[in-house]
Amino acid sequence: MEEAWQPEAVQNRKLEQLKASMYDYIEKNIEKIDSNLPVFFGHVTATLEKSFPALDDRAHDEFIDAVTFKFLDTTHQPPTPEFLDKVLWHAIGNKRRRKGRATLDIIAGLKLINAGRYTQAIEYMTKYRNYDGRINTAIGYCYYALSIPLVPPPSRQTGPRPNDMELQAREEMLTLARTRPPLNRLKVFDIKDYQLNKIFWFMIDRALQWFPNEPEYLRIGLKRARIEGDNGRRSYLIRLATERFHDDKRFLVEAFNFRIEQRNGRGAAAVVKQMMQQYPDDLEPIYFGIKLAIMGTQPSSYYSFRKLAILKEFPQYLLRILDFLFAIMCDRKNEAYVCFEEIRKGSSRGNYYLTALEYMLRDIFEGDEERAKRAKAAIFSTIDQYCMQALNIRHD
């Protein structure tokens, strides 16, 4: 009998439930699993295929990776190369695509780091350098850890020059800054305060000390902090970035967006003022001033920035859209509909974005209170993203 189709979201939830059940089984039966790995992996695969017979290869293999990760994180066996190779052999043997060892090798490398076997950990991880920036920092951490026993006591130090192992660690961090790899390809490690992420932040802190004039480590740290949703870390890095590189526009954009997210209007206004002083001919600070005025429904401020926008040859079509948004945020129904008609006249036929805006506009002024509230938030967000893209304003 053919399995009934399920939406992907429903399937993912059920997969997470099965994963949690497997994790619980591992924690309660680790000694038994340690003594018979083939039976364990056979049980995992059989259960997965029975529960999800139509599961695609990618999701199947990611499930095997996650269970292997949990097992190696729980096992009491010493992480010898022989034991790790045996575990990885069984794991790969139960994957549908007999490749893609990256996650498994990184898991093994982290297990070796925990055991203080840094040289062996480097061997597991080096071939995945630049696959995810966190791997670069883990390799750098291994070299840094190896450098510590080589540091001479104070009485024998001849100068500030770092030893060869620390130089290797610094070189790894320079590679990270130069290549700028992604920071979120290893989804299985996206657990708050997990070891790989702790190592990443430790090495970013080292790099900020080693290379205080290199802004790339602050950008890398801010990107990862956004991924993790760590506002405390993000606030610290923004403060450090705007102190060290006060004229770097990208950090000022980051500071403005963060203050907006934190509903700190006064702080956001201060960033706008600073940007206008440092970049008087650019459109970003003008847009930020308009955005802040719209959010605060401040007519005098909005009209002031709008006049400045016209003088600076701000795109007319964006001004029409922003006038439309300001009318909405101020609950000026008639004005909003008039502005929308002006936008429609200046647009090509079949503009699906305008169709979406029209539906939201109707919900705002003709729907119930809760629906209107959601529609207003949605229309502000979509127009903001549209303007940011049109003006090429990016976080990074």
Side-chain angles (χ1 to χ4, degrees), residues 27 57 62 65 73 121 155 164-165 178 182 195 209 217 235 254 281-282 330 339 362 372 376 378 395:
E27 290 175 354
D57 292 351
E62 286 179 354
D65 283 346
D73 217 32
S155 60
D164 289 344
M165 288 292 106
R178 185 173 62 252
Q195 178 193 14
Q209 294 177 18
Y217 300 110
S235 176
E254 180 77 32
D281 297 324
D282 289 358
C330 293
C339 289
R362 289 176 181 172
K376 187 179 283 190
H395 270 298

Side-chain angles (χ1 to χ4, degrees), residues 130-147:
N130 298 332
Y131 178 79
D132 184 303
R134 289 173 290 176
I135 300 174
N136 297 62
T137 59
I139 296 169
Y141 175 81
C142 290
Y143 283 118
Y144 182 72
L146 288 169
S147 78

Side-chain angles (χ1 to χ4, degrees), residues 142-376:
C142 290
Y143 283 118
Y144 182 72
L146 288 169
S147 78
I148 294 174
L150 303 177
V151 176
S155 60
R156 289 161 46 198
Q157 288 182 359
T158 57
R161 184 182 185 278
N163 58 55
D164 289 344
M165 288 292 106
E166 185 175 319
L167 287 174
Q168 282 283 88
R170 296 189 183 201
E171 183 61 33
E172 285 296 328
M173 296 307 291
L174 287 171
T175 298
L176 174 67
R178 185 173 62 252
T179 58
R180 290 188 249 178
L183 298 170
N184 61 343
R185 294 185 70 180
L186 295 168
K187 301 293 186 183
V188 71
F189 299 110
D190 282 344
I191 302 170
K192 186 173 175 58
D193 292 333
Y194 185 68
Q195 178 193 14
L196 183 63
N197 301 321
K198 287 183 176 180
I199 288 172
F200 170 84
W201 288 117
F202 178 84
M203 292 306 295
I204 288 295
D205 287 342
R206 296 282 76 71
L208 290 172
Q209 294 177 18
W210 290 336
F211 312 109
N213 297 320
E214 174 53 68
E216 193 59 38
Y217 300 110
L218 288 161
R219 282 195 280 273
I220 290 169
L222 284 166
K223 185 175 181 180
R224 184 63 205 171
R226 288 197 300 272
I227 292 170
E228 294 183 7
D230 189 340
N231 286 334
R233 176 83 64 171
R234 196 171 160 201
S235 176
Y236 163 73
L237 291 173
I238 288 172
R239 185 173 68 252
L240 195 61
T242 51
E243 288 173 358
R244 290 187 181 181
F245 308 100
H246 59 88
D247 58 348
D248 190 312
K249 190 193 297 183
R250 287 169 294 185
F251 291 136
L252 292 173
V253 171
E254 180 77 32
F256 176 83
N257 288 328
F258 182 69
R259 283 162 174 75
I260 288 292
E261 291 172 22
Q262 299 298 303
R263 301 183 181 278
N264 180 359
R266 183 174 296 179
V271 175
V272 171
K273 182 178 179 181
Q274 182 179 351
M275 290 186 74
M276 292 188 73
Q277 290 171 344
Q278 294 182 199
Y279 306 99
D281 297 324
D282 289 358
L283 296 181
E284 287 101 320
I286 297 174
Y287 173 67
F288 288 153
I290 290 174
K291 177 177 174 178
L292 202 56
I294 291 174
M295 293 181 71
T297 59
Q298 300 171 327
S300 61
S301 180
Y302 179 77
Y303 299 141
S304 174
F305 277 105
R306 195 183 188 285
K307 289 177 183 178
L308 186 58
I310 293 171
L311 291 174
K312 298 296 182 181
E313 299 182 348
F314 202 88
Q316 283 294 321
Y317 74 96
L318 289 185
L319 284 177
R320 286 195 292 268
I321 291 175
L322 291 168
D323 287 345
F324 166 65
L325 180 59
F326 185 65
I328 287 173
M329 299 303 287
C330 293
D331 294 319
R332 300 174 181 175
K333 179 179 177 180
N334 292 336
E335 189 175 315
Y337 276 101
V338 170
C339 289
F340 183 75
E341 288 306 315
E342 283 296 310
I343 296 169
R344 195 200 298 275
K345 288 178 185 176
S347 301
S348 60
R349 296 184 65 182
N351 189 321
Y352 298 111
Y353 183 60
L354 283 186
T355 302
L357 291 181
E358 187 172 13
Y359 277 116
M360 287 185 275
L361 178 61
R362 289 176 181 172
D363 279 348
I364 289 168
F365 291 115
E366 299 171 23
D368 59 58
E369 184 177 348
E370 185 58 34
R371 192 167 182 172
K373 182 179 178 181
R374 291 198 302 268
K376 187 179 283 190

Side-chain angles (χ1 to χ4, degrees), residues 7-17 52 55 58-59:
E8 186 176 350
V10 174
Q11 178 178 275
N12 289 343
R13 176 172 293 185
K14 290 184 176 180
L15 268 173
E16 289 301 316
Q17 291 171 346
F52 301 93
L55 191 64
R58 178 193 57 79

